[in-house]
Amino acid sequence: GAAREPQSVKSAGRVLDLLELLCTRGREMSHNDISIAIGIPKSSLTHLLRTLMARGYVTYSPESRGYRIGQALGRLVSRSSREETLLSVGAPLLEQLTARTRESSTLNQLRGDVTEVIATVSSPQRLVPHMQVGETGPLYALSGGKAILAAMPDVAVEAYLRRVTFEPITEATISSAAELRREIARVRHDGVAYSLEEFTPGISGIGVALLSAGGIPIGSMTLAIPTVRFSPEAKEL
């Protein structure tokens, strides 16, 4: 006979079946309707719905006793499309930036309280900092992170300062809210942010924020420069 489908694959298939069903129906569905539509026992469906509800992918209305798609799925799609937009717009600019400056450049997306590298172009010079796609770092220690903070409204900055813990990544890393507030004010005045060996010894950075159509900071573009080449002229790049 045919090989039996592994239980883990079967469970994953049921999750996708359920999410596709609720997305395509576009309305609330009862426990019984879902069970019939995707051919899953009610007891198994109950466990599946509990898991998805706990993660925010499905919501339940006690009044109507119906289930519908939750906000978590929308946020996931939004984050994915935002990254695609950043890449499509920003990646070509990296090539131009590195060609002009001969320094390594990165495109970073905002993910919570960190930035994540989503594209890089390396300097053609022999002394080169290496940034990997997927690498993350805290906003307060990176030029791109500080640029993002400076582009945020004051209420968002203050909320960030209340929850952040300043880790001494290097001897030069910002270590207090007061110090970061002063730095944000300077970035807002100058329009560009710097990180002077605050994340990696020997590496300095120049960063600018990238904004959504609505003016919300969603990422940054940065140059990573060996400090031995980080001169007043470099700041004008």
Side-chain angles (χ1 to χ4, degrees):
R4 292 185 62 187
E5 190 175 42
Q7 186 61 40
S8 59
V9 175
K10 188 175 182 180
S11 297
R14 284 175 168 176
V15 169
L16 295 175
D17 287 343
L18 174 54
L19 293 178
E20 288 175 355
L21 175 67
L22 292 179
C23 282
T24 55
R25 290 295 173 90
R27 58 175 175 79
E28 290 186 358
M29 295 186 67
S30 70
H31 190 284
N32 187 61
D33 287 343
I34 295 171
S35 176
I36 294 172
I38 61 177
I40 178 175
K42 291 183 178 179
S43 57
S44 299
L45 178 60
T46 298
H47 294 302
L48 181 58
L49 285 169
R50 282 176 182 167
T51 300
L52 291 172
M53 288 167 61
R55 300 288 289 270
Y57 289 101
V58 172
T59 59
Y60 175 71
S61 171
E63 292 80 14
S64 62
R65 303 182 72 178
Y67 298 87
R68 66 167 51 245
I69 285 293
Q71 293 184 350
L73 187 61
R75 287 194 295 267
L76 196 63
V77 172
S78 173
R79 190 164 64 196
S80 175
S81 61
R82 183 178 67 186
E83 180 175 342
E84 289 178 6
T85 301
L86 268 177
L87 280 170
S88 63
V89 174
L93 295 177
L94 292 188
E95 297 283 354
Q96 298 176 32
L97 187 59
T98 293
R100 176 186 171 191
T101 64
R102 291 176 54 80
E103 298 293 354
S104 298
S105 58
T106 67
L107 182 66
N108 320 284
Q109 68 171 339
L110 176 62
R111 294 195 62 175
D113 288 342
V114 303
T115 64
E116 178 186 18
V117 177
I118 60 174
T120 70
V121 176
S122 294
S123 165
Q125 303 187 68
R126 293 185 67 181
L127 181 59
V128 181
H130 291 284
M131 292 81 65
Q132 304 293 327
V133 171
E135 184 177 345
T136 62
L139 300 181
Y140 62 84
L142 298 164
S143 60
K146 287 189 277 187
I148 288 171
L149 286 169
M152 290 180 177
D154 287 341
V155 63
V157 172
E158 290 305 315
Y160 169 79
L161 291 174
R162 284 194 296 270
R163 64 180 180 267
V164 70
T165 299
F166 294 95
E167 302 290 345
I169 302 168
T170 74
E171 292 183 356
T173 306
I174 286 175
S175 59
S176 70
E179 188 179 357
L180 184 54
R181 282 194 187 95
R182 289 193 295 270
E183 183 72 357
I184 288 172
R186 191 201 61 72
V187 175
R188 287 174 173 173
H189 178 269
D190 296 347
V192 64
Y194 302 106
S195 174
L196 308 178
E197 301 191 352
E198 295 164 47
F199 186 66
T200 305
I203 303 298
S204 293
I206 304 175
V208 294
L210 300 175
L211 309 181
S212 70
I216 305 299
I218 57 175
S220 63
M221 189 174 295
T222 62
L223 285 175
I225 305 172
T227 302
V228 295
R229 293 202 299 263
F230 194 76
S231 61
E233 291 76 19
K235 291 186 177 183
E236 299 300 321
L237 297 176

